[in-house]
Amino acid sequence: MAKGLPTRKDDYSAWYNELVKQADLAEHSAVRGCMIIKPYGFAIWEKMQRILDDKFKETGHSNAYFPLFVPKSLFEAEEKNAEGFAKECAIVTHYRLKNDPNKEGKLMVDPEAKLEEELIVRPTSEAVIWNTYKGWIQSYRDLPLLINQWANVVRWEMRTRLFLRTSEFLWQEGHTAHATKQEAIDETEQMVKVYADFAENHMALPVVQGLKTESERFAGAEETYCIEALMQDGKALQAGTSHFLGQNFAKAFDVKFAAKDNKLDYVWGTSWGVSTRLMGALIMAHSDDEGLVLPPKLAPIQVVIVPIYKKEEDLEQIKTALAPLTKVLKAANISLKLDDRDSFRPGFKFAEWELKGVPVRLAIGMRDVENGTIEVARRDTKEKMSWQLEGAGENIKQLLEDIQQNIYDKALTFRTSNTTEVNTWEEFEKALDAGGFVSAHWDGTAETEEQIQDKTKATIRCVPLNNPQENGTCILTGKPSKERVLFARAY
Amino acid sequence: MAKGLPTRKDDYSAWYNELVKQADLAEHSAVRGCMIIKPYGFAIWEKMQRILDDKFKETGHSNAYFPLFVPKSLFEAEEKNAEGFAKECAIVTHYRLKNDPNKEGKLMVDPEAKLEEELIVRPTSEAVIWNTYKGWIQSYRDLPLLINQWANVVRWEMRTRLFLRTSEFLWQEGHTAHATKQEAIDETEQMVKVYADFAENHMALPVVQGLKTESERFAGAEETYCIEALMQDGKALQAGTSHFLGQNFAKAFDVKFAAKDNKLDYVWGTSWGVSTRLMGALIMAHSDDEGLVLPPKLAPIQVVIVPIYKKEEDLEQIKTALAPLTKVLKAANISLKLDDRDSFRPGFKFAEWELKGVPVRLAIGMRDVENGTIEVARRDTKEKMSWQLEGAGENIKQLLEDIQQNIYDKALTFRTSNTTEVNTWEEFEKALDAGGFVSAHWDGTAETEEQIQDKTKATIRCVPLNNPQENGTCILTGKPSKERVLFARAY
């Protein structure tokens, strides 16, 4: 970490890449586009998983596990979905290696071990899951079926970036089946709200909830809800999606149920997911030129204590002085690290924990012990304070809450001041170049949407939920429009 | 579940297969050899994961995530390991589908999207992880490196059985690196003890800890420790392994560290894992002809309450009477289900929860409400009792502990009475046919081991740890031997 980061202003993209590596979050692997999530990065992901998993269970969902591989014929069954993912599928064609007769000690694919039918490595699991639901659903008594899976998926991406776009990534995918259209829509909306709540209250990340336009919808869905966040470089990032699938997959896989009146009908479906992409959003939304800034609720280490001492017996005295404080913090389930490594100097440790985004750093030397004080540094504002050791535990608990709130408030202020309403094409282009969300009228056609993207690289991020209705004219074509939509350049 | 199970005596194998399906634990998928783990089965696996993960963290390990794919050249680097897994590898050769010109609406593998180098779907992750460790380890300060991963792996099996042997399975794999040989051996031994503790104290499954013979060792290991359990049909099951890798992978991937004296040396490695195979062991060790028997510590539902009533207002009275009891049980974190489905009769519900192995079933009708009593049925012994409602909460807590202990004791008694010491070939064959572990002298050669297997289908399960030394003669060759080893037919 002594290397220093590029600044966000100089090169936002290099800043992000270096930060991910230097803070020990992730790195590239020997396989093109696949990442290695390092222990410190994975600890953050585990916290995200635990919180989300609890929320899914509170809303009635159970976890299950479905196969990694999808036979090609199953994959094809829902045509739009298959078309949407076909170009990025990793495909298993053989199941055995053998000794290479031409190269001593080397192996080759055994041509005799060709599979009768190729297997797709799942890019998403609708096909394999709906094919299974056919066997699980006979009557209204089997509904709703509310299932989630934590899994790895593969989408063969040509241009990859750690966490944001990788060929293999980790995610959860919910797949539910319902007796009525309304119930499925309610579920879709419930889950986008669960995601928004998680983003705002745990990731400290304000998000816009909205609907995707038809061209941005999930392949095979009738409606895609999303949460959209704004990064510090003014680009938007889709942080989660929840899809109303209508009866599309039920029809493709023949999943019918007998209602109370014994009439047979296709069930209604939803699917919803968030992925390790959230890690990218978390990093880019809050961090600064010195390193990560982690919201306390997701920080693997919430408080680090750096003792400052020369003699071994001083360290013992410091530990004794700290004992009442650490007891209070541990009792409050605050994750605490005492960094007493003797091979590094305090300044080095300060920089390391700053880089790694630990929300609160405590430092304590012999003079503090004498005075009954402790130095408290908060990561978000870089403020340093000298506190009385007595009662510090309660104050630190409060400080962690304040930091969580402050990180959110800062991101919200940033988003508010980077969301611009425009009414003309000239204003639109100018606002896009300045960065952020641009709220504008659009004539509602896919052609106009595409033309705008070709001219500006901006896409419609969403039509916000509960969007105010307002008469206006399309910024490109001048045709009439009844509501504004949110444009942005995006990750 | 109305269908009834085959009995263990009539057809143990059919009993197991049907039980897994009827108890909603798992089922076969559309992909040969890959299973679907259903919500009830997955809930048990999640409990196992949580307990094991806590134990790994208590012993200093962190979780991380490494790629699903291994480039063929990396896979080959440790030759013994590569040879050991080559014949069962799923191989990705292409990364895109395209529209099939010969079949409308169908997709085909795009021949132009051939990968330059084939990718192996990980059968185990030593190769990809040791290739990464090369970048993570420079000096003794980076050691020990203690990492675990929860992941799916693929071994293309020709004959599969749900949980016991599937082409894709879920597991955890620990991979550690150490500065000294002794430290790596200590780690290997520590982890086999962690597994034994989990098996005995949570799965209620007595296990023998031991060492594998050379021919049964993990490909690429210098020593394989294992835990071996005995199933009710007298066959053994390997439930977990912990490998001392020596410097094999460090040499294959050139992973060196500078010691305190600045000398460079290869690091010492271990790897260890348990998988969804444990689910198979759990089911086969304890269950009976009526269904699953789950130890309370792993049961997703520990207590089920079946109210017996005719009128809706009776149900309300029953719920009121139950309120103090449910409060006590919830406060003790006991997972509780009130089965008030009105579409099924009590007898049907009793049979369902019996099939699903819920440790304690409570039933309560209007007469019980009047008398202040409740019917208590334990799954393991099928004993039924009428208890006073008052104080039932504390008694149920104790009962769950008793059941946990009783299931363990029963399995231990079974193992003890099915472990036979033999001294002649005749006794050996007879004991194998009777089933169970057979403790016998063996001359220590791989040839004899193979001959015994060819003649009897029995393998050496392990050389138990702390094995008493005793002079004897090999049951097959009559050559001298210094200790007995454990033979059995095995899963």
Side-chain angles (χ1 to χ4, degrees), chain B residues 452-464:
Chain B
I452 293 175
Q453 185 173 1
D454 287 346
K455 284 175 194 288
T456 64
K457 291 187 181 156
T459 48
I460 299 177
R461 302 316 303 158
C462 68
V463 184

Side-chain angles (χ1 to χ4, degrees), chain A residues 147-159:
Chain A
I147 288 185
N148 176 62
Q149 152 167 292
W150 291 94
N152 53 345
V153 285
V154 171
R155 297 179 187 173
W156 207 258
E157 298 281 357
M158 284 302 149
R159 297 183 61 183

Side-chain angles (χ1 to χ4, degrees), chain A residues 27 37 46 50 57 63 65 68 72 76 83 86 89 91 93-95 97 99 107 136 152 168, chain B residues 27 37 46 50 57 63 65 68 72 76 83 86 89 91 93-95 97 99 107 136 152 168:
Chain A
E27 65 183 42
I37 306 179
E46 279 182 297
R50 186 70 66 99
K57 285 176 177 153
N63 288 329
Y65 189 76
L68 171 67
K72 189 169 72 65
E76 287 168 341
E83 285 265 338
C89 284
I91 304 156
T93 55
H94 294 73
Y95 61 84
L97 293 172
N99 290 322
L107 297 166
W136 292 3
N152 53 345
E168 181 193 14
Chain B
E27 64 182 42
I37 307 179
E46 278 182 297
R50 186 68 68 99
K57 285 177 178 153
N63 288 329
Y65 189 76
L68 171 68
K72 188 169 73 64
E76 286 168 342
E83 285 264 339
C89 283
I91 303 154
T93 56
H94 293 74
Y95 61 85
L97 294 171
N99 289 321
L107 298 166
W136 291 4
N152 53 344
E168 181 194 14

Side-chain angles (χ1 to χ4, degrees), chain B residues 74 76-79 130-131 134 247-255 266:
Chain B
L74 269 191
E76 286 168 342
E78 210 293 327
E79 288 185 26
W130 280 91
N131 184 57
K134 183 179 166 58
Q247 295 176 312
N248 292 344
F249 284 88
K251 285 178 181 165
F253 292 93
D254 194 31
V255 185
Y266 291 108

Side-chain angles (χ1 to χ4, degrees), chain B residues 6 80 94 214 234 303 324-325 439:
Chain B
K80 276 190 193 165
H94 293 74
E214 195 179 343
V303 177
L325 172 61
S439 175

Side-chain angles (χ1 to χ4, degrees), chain A residues 42 66 109 227 262 389 442 453:
Chain A
F42 202 82
F66 297 86
V109 176
I227 54 171
N262 264 324
L389 249 177
W442 154 68
Q453 184 172 2

